């Protein structure tokens, strides 16, 4: 390399161009070799060496002052450079070096040339004292310097730095700081490796989980690679091989991501997953896309990484921490407690007595002082998981132990997650094992199937805990009074277990649930309840969000499906837990209110009463009158308005809404001017808007367009026409971006919407708002179906489509163009998908040709 520097052209631009050409040629050669053999380690080590040579050549060519030293730090110091990674360097200088202008100019020239040759440099210029001070303040700097590697310049200065740095390094303090850092990182990624777009570097189960092990071992002088850790007894030889394979898998994915995106991209976005699968030679199967196969492999690798991370960090803690170990506390002849962790007293316990595997998890639930399991116990569980075979599953003792896990007062969620982590759950329930790491391409689940199931069970358990009673108080009251709530947990375990088999997973899961009940001695009404919940776990949300809850026939039909109040309560609890377990974007207070209303209405029917809308109309009106009196209105002021309202209005609105409408309209039932009132939604987040105006064409479309332009999503619309021809409509609005201040928008809506209704400008074209990035990678065909309702008075139109800004307005505009009126609308958003239901009226709906044309036009505007 010195010869190349001596022969380098004198012209700085020519020199930089020549070095850049050699660097690009070298990187092209490395990439070609990787694409041929798939050896990611050779690629990243080769790029580090190539950059080493480039840096040394530039350093020597520029004749950098001999007082300073150049070192590689961070991942580059480790001797690894991924294709898109920055080149982190430390320019080490004497304490007074930077005071000299000439020296500063030399460093600036160095950095400039390095950028000119095509290297993205991350540099720091420090003295030894400054390095030590920064390392003491910032654990990230300390970690970066831990991997420092000398490149060129004054070797004595680098050795002085390294000796001082190692002398100041406290392995135990460093280890504790890195574990806290990992806990914070896990929190940022929701403590799961199983999000649908994970970060292969930072997410749990990513490369960072492996690097933290090496950093802690390096700091303690235990080695800087897996074979070295095995020689020191920190890990076994088998674990060293597992760690190396897992690391190679992650390196391969990260290298391909960088090369495919031509930048440092560590997120496995939907945009990249199919391309990555093709690059890795993965092909689609009959039931799954190539990207799904790739991601299941990734999740299983991430699961292994988190397992090994837990094991090795425990062993490192024992090797690094200087405090004398506390003596073990004997639990029984098989188990003991070591530092608050469950420990097997004999490494062969689970091999000799396999049923103790389940007993270990049961002990974790029963003994609150246990905070986890020792590395020895986890290793023994992992090694013995193969002992859970057909004979193990048939053993009545094991079946009883497994069922007891669900019947304990604490720890179910933690232990099911631990059982899943170490493949115990998948071995005991092979059907569960098949859905581990399985993606859900449905636009609203953000977890893999197994993680969603465990999230649902977690939600159910939280209903029982006093510290979470404030979250969903009604659910907490119901589950507290529910006899044997563990039955609902079992149903939660099976509700999605048949995903990915093809066909209706709700029905397919029923067979698994029935077999489980039969084999585990669950009898009587519980053996009936669990399969019922599995089969109908989607029914309650479908009725609440898509049907008219003011219709007594809807309530009677739903009650006929449920049949008993115990079933109803269990289904309600599972439904709330299930929706909350799909994605943070799917649940909102409005859906909660719909479900609660349906629960109360169905419960009255099951208790022998008529559905509340039919039986309690007079009661509801009297309750509304009481609210009016409370607000100071004299008796009878409501009569003029109420004479214009029919039974359907009082059925669709509760007493509080009726009173609110009446206070705004009692003195102007024949108002010549539009009346618009808005308020904070009393039933949860968002706004409630009431519109009262003399009938006009295209009203629903105009209102939808107005709200769309403001950026709101309509989650419910109640459309009513009075006997005198006035429209009395109410909407519930949510801000999907969570940026619009609801309270501040009330005055604007009341003023601007009145102006719109007075001037009636032509309906504008629907917004062509941008689709979310994820939507482009989910094949979904829009659906439109129209049918007469059972009474023959109206038509029910159902629409399913990909959500986008202005979608509802586009639908309303098509309906308006055909002269079709919207009587009511149920707007249901499930992640990136909408499933809306409209009650329609209009003479044209009776014509088959009109219906066909209408559906074709709607499909056209729904396509993305």
């Amino acid at each position: 390399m010195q010869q190349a520097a001596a022969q380098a052209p004198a012209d700085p631009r020519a020199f930089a161009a020549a070095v850049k050409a050699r660097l690009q040629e070298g990187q092209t050669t490395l990439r070609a070799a990787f694409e041929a053999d798939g050896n990611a380690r050779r690629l990243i080590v080769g790029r580090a060496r190539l950059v080493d040579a480039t840096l040394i050549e530039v350093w020597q060519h520029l004749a950098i002052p001999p007082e300073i030293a150049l070192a590689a730090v961070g991942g580059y110091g480790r001797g690894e450079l991924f294709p898109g990674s920055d080149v982190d360097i430390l320019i080490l200088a004497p304490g007074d070096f930077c005071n000299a202008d000439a020296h500063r100019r030399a460093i600036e020239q160095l950095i400039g040339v390095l950028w000119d040759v095509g290297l993205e440099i991350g540099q720091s210029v420090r003295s030894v004292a400054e390095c030590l001070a920064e390392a003491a303040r910032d654990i990230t700097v300390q970690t970066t310097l831990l991997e420092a590697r000398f490149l060129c310049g004054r070797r004595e200065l680098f050795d002085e730095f390294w000796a001082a740095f190692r002398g100041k390094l406290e392995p135990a303090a460093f280890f504790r700081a890195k574990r806290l850092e990992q806990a914070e990182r896990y929190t940022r990624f929701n403590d799961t490796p199983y999000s649908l777009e994970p970060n292969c570097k930072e997410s749990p189960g990513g490369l960072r989980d492996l690097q933290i092990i090496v950093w802690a071992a390096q700091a303690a002088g235990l080695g800087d690679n897996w074979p070295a850790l095995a020689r020191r007894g920190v890990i076994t030889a088998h674990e060293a091989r597992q760690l190396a394979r897992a690391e190679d898998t992650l390196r391969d994915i990260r290298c391909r991501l960088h090369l495919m995106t031509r930048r440092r991209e560590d997120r496995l976005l939907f945009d990249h997953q199919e391309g990555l699968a093709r690059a890795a030679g993965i092909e689609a199967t009959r039931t799954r896309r190539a990207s799904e196969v790739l991601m299941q492999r990734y999740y299983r690798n991430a699961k292994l990484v988190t397992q090994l991370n837990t094991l090795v960090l425990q062993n490192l803690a024992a090797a690094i921490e200087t405090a004398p170990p506390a003596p073990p506390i004997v639990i029984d002849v098989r188990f003991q407690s070591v530092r608050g962790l469950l420990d097997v007293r004999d490494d062969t316990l689970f091999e000799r007595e396999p049923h103790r595997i389940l007993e270990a998890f049961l002990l974790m639930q029963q003994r609150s002082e246990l905070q986890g399991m020792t590395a020895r116990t986890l290793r023994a569980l992992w090694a013995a998981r193969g002992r859970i075979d057909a004979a193990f599953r048939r053993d009545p003792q094991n079946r009883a132990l497994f069922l007891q896990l669900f019947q304990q007062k604490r720890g179910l969620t933690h232990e099911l997650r631990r059982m899943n982590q170490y493949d115990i759950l998948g071995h005991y329930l092979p059907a569960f094992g098949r859905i581990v790491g399985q993606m859900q391409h449905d636009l609203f689940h953000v977890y893999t199937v197994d993680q969603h199931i465990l999230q649902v069970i977690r939600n159910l358990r939280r209903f029982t805990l006093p510290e979470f009673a404030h979250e969903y108080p009604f659910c907490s009251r119901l589950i507290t009074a529910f006899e044997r709530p563990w039955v609902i947990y079992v149903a939660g375990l099976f509700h999605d277990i048949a995903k990915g088999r093809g066909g209706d997973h709700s029905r397919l899961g029923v067979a698994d649930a029935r077999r489980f009940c039969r084999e585990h001695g669950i009898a009587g009404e519980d053996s009936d309840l669990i399969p019922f919940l599995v089969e109908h776990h989607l029914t309650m949300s479908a009725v609440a969000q898509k049907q008219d809850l003011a219709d007594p026939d809807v309530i009677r039909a739903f009650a006929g499906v449920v049949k008993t109040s115990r079933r109803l309560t269990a289904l309600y609890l599972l439904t709330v837990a299930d929706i909350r377990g799909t994605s943070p974007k799917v649940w909102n207070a409005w859906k909660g209110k719909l479900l609660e209303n349906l629960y109360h209405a169905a419960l009255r029917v099951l208790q022998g009463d008529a559905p509340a809308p039919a039986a309690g109309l007079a009661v509801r009106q009297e309750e509304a009158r009481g609210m009016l009196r409370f607000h100071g209105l004299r008796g009878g002021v409501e009569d003029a308005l109420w004479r214009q309202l029919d039974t359907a209005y009082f059925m669709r609105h509760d007493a509080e809404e009726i009173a609110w409408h009446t206070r705004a309209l009692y003195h102007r039932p024949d108002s010549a001017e539009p009346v618009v009132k808005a308020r904070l939604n009393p039933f949860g987040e968002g706004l409630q808007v009431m519109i009262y105006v003399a009938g006009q064409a295209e009203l629903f479309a105009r209102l939808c367009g107005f709200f769309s332009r403001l950026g709101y999503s309509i989650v419910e619309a109640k459309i009513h026409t009075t006997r005198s021809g006035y429209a009395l409509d109410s909407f519930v609005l949510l801000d999907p971006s969570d940026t619009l201040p609801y309270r501040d928008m009330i005055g604007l809506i009341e003023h601007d919407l009145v102006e719109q209704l007075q001037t009636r400008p032509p309906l504008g074209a629907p917004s062509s708002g941008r689709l979310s990035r994820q939507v482009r990678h989910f094949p979904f065909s829009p659906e439109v179906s129209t049918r007469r309702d059972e009474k023959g008075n109206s038509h029910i139109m159902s629409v399913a489509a990909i959500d986008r800004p202005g979608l509802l307005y586009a639908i309303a505009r098509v309906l308006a163009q055909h002269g079709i009126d919207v009587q009511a609308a149920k707007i249901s958003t499930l992640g990136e998908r909408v499933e809306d239901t409209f009650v329609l009226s209009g003479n044209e709906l009776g014509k088959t040709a009109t219906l066909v044309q209408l559906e074709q036009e709607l499909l056209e505007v729904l396509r993305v």
Side-chain angles (χ1 to χ4, degrees):
M1 208 65 208
Q2 289 179 347
Q3 183 182 5
Q7 297 174 354
D11 176 36
R13 286 176 295 182
F15 170 74
V19 174
K20 183 175 184 177
R22 285 194 294 275
L23 179 63
Q24 289 177 338
E25 181 182 358
Q27 293 186 142
T28 300
T29 301
L30 288 169
R31 176 171 184 163
F34 172 68
E35 289 173 347
D37 63 20
N39 190 323
R41 174 163 175 74
R42 186 178 301 157
L43 170 62
I44 61 178
V45 170
R47 182 169 183 248
R49 290 173 179 167
L50 179 65
V51 172
D52 284 355
T54 302
L55 287 172
I56 294 170
E57 178 181 0
V58 173
W59 183 277
Q60 293 174 344
H61 175 78
L62 295 178
I64 301 297
E67 299 93 338
I68 62 177
L70 178 66
V73 292
Y76 176 38
R78 194 164 54 245
E80 299 177 353
L81 263 182
F82 285 85
S85 293
D86 292 346
V87 178
D88 293 327
I89 59 173
L90 168 66
I91 299 172
L92 200 58
D96 59 351
F97 174 79
C98 290
N99 294 327
D101 289 341
H103 293 161
R104 283 199 299 272
R105 283 196 297 272
I107 291 175
E108 290 169 0
Q109 185 183 17
L110 170 68
I111 302 303
V113 172
L114 293 178
W115 278 94
D116 288 343
V117 302
L119 293 176
E120 295 188 16
I121 297 296
Q123 79 279 356
S124 57
V125 182
R126 297 191 182 110
S127 66
V128 172
E130 288 169 338
C131 286
L132 299 179
E134 284 296 319
R137 281 194 295 267
D138 189 338
I139 188 64
T140 303
V141 173
Q142 193 173 36
T143 307
T144 299
L145 295 178
L146 180 65
E147 299 186 292
R149 176 170 57 89
F150 176 76
L151 289 174
C152 57
R154 187 182 173 196
R155 181 67 192 235
E156 296 82 3
L157 183 61
F158 178 83
D159 291 343
E160 177 191 342
F161 150 75
W162 188 245
F165 175 76
R166 291 296 309 190
K168 291 282 188 180
L169 189 62
E170 299 178 20
F174 178 84
F175 178 69
R176 288 192 293 270
K178 296 311 290 184
R179 292 194 80 167
L180 288 172
E181 189 179 71
Q182 176 171 288
E184 186 277 331
R185 176 169 54 84
Y186 273 35
T187 300
R188 280 191 284 118
F189 290 94
N190 297 317
D191 289 298
T192 178
Y194 306 104
S195 63
L196 297 190
E197 294 184 309
N199 184 308
C200 68
K201 180 182 178 184
E202 298 288 343
S203 288
L207 278 165
R208 194 64 87 202
D209 277 11
L210 300 176
Q211 290 165 354
I212 192 177
I213 295 171
V214 176
W215 290 330
Q218 277 183 281
L222 297 173
D224 60 359
N225 56 55
W226 309 127
L229 289 178
R231 287 192 296 271
R232 296 297 295 266
V234 177
I235 57 177
T236 66
H238 177 63
E239 287 165 352
R241 290 191 294 272
Q242 286 183 307
L243 285 161
R245 283 196 298 270
E247 189 173 35
D248 284 344
T249 297
L250 290 168
R251 283 171 170 163
D252 180 82
I253 288 172
R254 192 174 186 222
C255 282
R256 294 187 190 281
L257 260 177
H258 285 195
L259 291 172
M260 188 171 72
T261 60
R262 299 184 182 275
R263 65 178 186 274
R264 185 180 59 189
E265 175 59 85
D266 298 327
R267 298 167 300 165
L268 277 74
L269 303 178
F270 295 131
D271 310 56
H272 311 320
Q273 289 174 8
E274 200 68 28
L276 276 174
R278 287 195 300 270
I282 297 173
E283 296 183 356
T285 68
R286 185 178 61 83
T287 58
R288 294 193 297 167
R289 292 188 285 175
S291 59
E292 294 177 281
V293 178
L294 167 77
M295 293 309 297
Q296 186 160 37
R297 293 181 188 177
Y298 171 84
Y299 294 130
R300 288 180 171 171
N301 191 78
K303 178 180 172 185
L304 176 63
V305 169
T306 53
Q307 288 172 359
L308 293 169
N309 174 273
T310 301
L311 290 173
V312 182
L313 289 184
Q314 276 197 31
N315 287 346
L316 284 172
I320 292 172
E321 297 290 352
T322 55
I329 300 171
V330 174
I331 295 175
D332 56 30
V333 295
R334 293 169 293 277
F335 297 100
Q336 60 190 8
S337 172
V338 176
R339 302 184 306 278
L341 304 175
L342 182 68
D343 187 49
V344 287
R345 302 183 69 185
D346 179 352
D347 291 353
T348 66
L349 172 66
F350 300 134
E351 293 288 347
R352 291 185 294 100
E353 302 179 61
H355 70 276
R356 304 297 179 190
I357 294 173
L358 297 179
E359 186 179 322
F361 294 100
L362 191 60
L363 274 173
M364 289 295 300
Q365 293 178 281
Q366 293 173 338
R367 302 183 72 95
S368 59
E369 73 274 14
L370 295 173
Q371 301 303 309
M373 294 180 174
T374 63
R376 181 165 73 151
T377 306
L378 293 173
R379 274 200 184 103
L381 284 169
W382 177 249
R385 68 193 187 282
R387 299 298 304 273
I388 304 177
D389 53 14
F392 182 101
R393 292 188 286 269
R394 286 194 300 268
D395 189 324
Q397 183 180 13
N398 294 331
R399 290 175 174 177
L401 281 170
F402 186 76
L403 205 59
Q404 284 183 56
L405 295 172
F406 291 83
Q407 297 166 349
Q408 302 304 305
K409 293 182 178 179
R410 61 178 296 276
L412 175 63
T413 304
H414 285 97
E415 297 319 305
L416 286 180
R417 284 178 171 166
R418 202 187 318 267
M419 291 172 73
N420 187 37
Q421 183 75 2
Y422 290 89
D423 277 358
I424 305 301
L425 189 55
H427 274 75
Y428 188 80
L429 292 175
F432 190 91
R434 287 194 290 272
I435 49 96
V436 170
Q438 180 176 309
M439 294 180 71
Q440 304 191 73
H441 279 272
D442 55 15
L443 285 175
F444 59 96
H445 284 89
V446 298
Y447 305 110
T448 55
V449 182
D450 59 316
Q451 293 303 305
H452 165 67
I453 286 174
L454 297 180
Q455 192 79 357
V456 170
I457 295 174
R458 165 208 177 254
N459 292 341
L460 287 166
R461 288 288 290 174
R462 281 169 75 109
F463 295 153
T464 69
L465 303 176
E467 59 266 36
F468 297 110
H470 64 283
E471 289 185 342
Y472 297 93
F474 184 58
C475 293
S476 296
R477 290 199 302 273
L478 289 179
I479 206 165
T480 300
F482 193 89
E483 191 177 9
R484 299 183 300 281
W486 62 265
V487 175
I488 312 177
Y489 311 153
V490 173
L493 181 65
F494 281 91
H495 83 283
D496 273 356
I497 206 166
K499 283 270 183 86
R501 296 185 197 172
D504 183 345
H505 74 278
S506 300
R507 293 188 179 277
L508 292 173
V510 169
D512 291 344
R514 286 197 176 120
R515 183 165 53 251
F516 179 88
C517 292
R518 185 172 60 250
E519 293 173 349
H520 289 75
I522 301 174
E525 63 177 354
D526 292 343
S527 66
D528 173 69
L529 178 60
I530 292 171
F532 166 81
L533 292 175
V534 173
E535 182 177 2
H536 290 284
H537 71 272
L538 299 175
T539 300
M540 192 169 192
S541 61
V543 172
Q545 296 180 52
K546 297 180 184 179
Q547 298 190 42
D548 184 1
L549 302 188
D551 185 343
D553 291 340
V554 169
I555 305 303
R556 288 192 191 96
F558 175 68
V561 171
V562 177
K563 290 188 171 61
T564 70
S565 58
R566 187 169 190 257
R567 277 183 166 193
L568 174 65
T569 298
L571 183 58
Y572 172 76
L573 292 168
L574 179 59
T575 302
V576 174
D578 188 19
I579 296 175
R580 290 181 58 217
T582 56
S583 163
K585 295 195 301 184
V586 171
W587 178 263
N588 58 50
W590 187 247
K591 289 181 183 175
K593 181 177 184 295
L594 291 176
L595 289 170
E596 192 171 334
N597 288 348
L598 177 56
Y599 175 85
H600 288 300
L603 184 62
R604 283 190 289 268
V605 173
L606 293 171
Q607 291 173 341
D609 298 332
L617 214 57
V619 174
R620 184 174 300 186
Q621 290 176 338
E622 197 55 39
E623 186 179 349
R625 286 191 176 96
M627 294 177 183
L628 294 174
R629 303 297 89 79
F630 176 80
H631 283 90
L633 298 183
R634 67 181 186 278
V637 298
E638 68 276 6
D639 293 345
L641 174 67
W642 286 15
R643 279 194 293 270
Q644 302 299 321
L645 305 174
D646 57 18
T647 300
Y649 170 83
F650 291 102
M651 288 170 63
R652 286 199 173 97
H653 297 82
D654 61 28
E656 201 280 336
E657 289 177 298
I658 295 168
W660 179 50
H661 293 174
T662 304
R663 293 202 314 274
L665 301 174
Y666 75 92
H667 56 294
R668 44 184 170 180
D670 53 356
S671 173
E673 302 293 328
V675 179
V676 176
K677 290 293 179 183
R679 64 174 180 173
L680 296 177
N681 184 10
F683 310 111
E685 60 183 319
L687 286 173
Q688 195 173 28
V689 182
M690 179 207 75
I691 300 97
Y692 186 70
V693 63
Q696 57 178 256
E698 303 175 335
L699 177 61
F700 182 69
R702 192 176 309 283
L703 296 173
C704 291
F706 176 82
F707 296 135
S708 173
R709 287 190 296 275
L710 290 181
Y712 285 114
S713 290
I714 299 171
V715 296
E716 188 180 66
K718 295 179 182 177
I719 314 299
H720 186 75
T721 302
T722 71
R723 290 188 173 96
S724 56
Y726 277 75
L728 176 49
D729 301 344
S730 58
F731 293 80
V732 176
L733 311 177
L734 289 178
D735 171 20
S737 65
D738 201 28
T739 59
L740 299 173
Y742 289 121
R743 188 180 297 277
D744 294 349
M745 296 294 290
I746 290 174
L748 182 145
I749 289 173
E750 292 180 343
H751 175 273
D752 288 10
L753 185 49
V754 167
E755 186 176 281
Q756 282 276 314
L757 296 174
Q758 288 175 328
T759 58
R760 303 189 199 183
L763 297 179
S767 166
S768 55
R770 292 178 59 188
L771 295 173
S772 73
R773 176 182 50 76
Q774 292 94 333
V775 163
R776 297 194 298 270
H777 305 280
F778 290 90
F780 186 84
S781 299
E783 300 172 2
V784 177
S785 65
T786 309
R787 69 184 190 282
R788 279 191 179 276
D789 67 3
E790 293 181 359
K791 299 175 182 177
N793 298 329
S794 305
H795 282 71
I796 309 296
M797 184 179 77
S798 300
V799 173
I802 299 298
D803 195 17
R804 68 174 189 269
L807 178 65
L808 186 58
Y809 172 56
I811 295 171
R813 192 166 175 265
V814 172
L815 295 174
Q817 289 168 350
H818 286 272
I820 295 171
D821 296 324
V822 177
Q823 295 179 332
K826 277 287 185 72
I827 314 300
S828 177
T829 304
L830 306 171
E832 304 294 345
R833 196 179 86 217
V834 295
E835 294 182 358
D836 299 343
T837 304
F838 303 88
V839 180
L840 308 177
S841 62
N843 296 330
E844 293 295 308
L845 289 170
K847 303 175 182 177
T848 301
T850 299
L851 284 178
V852 171
Q853 183 180 355
L854 175 65
E855 292 187 4
Q856 289 176 338
E857 291 181 19
L858 285 171
L859 287 171
E860 189 63 33
V861 302
L862 294 175
R863 290 192 179 95
V864 296

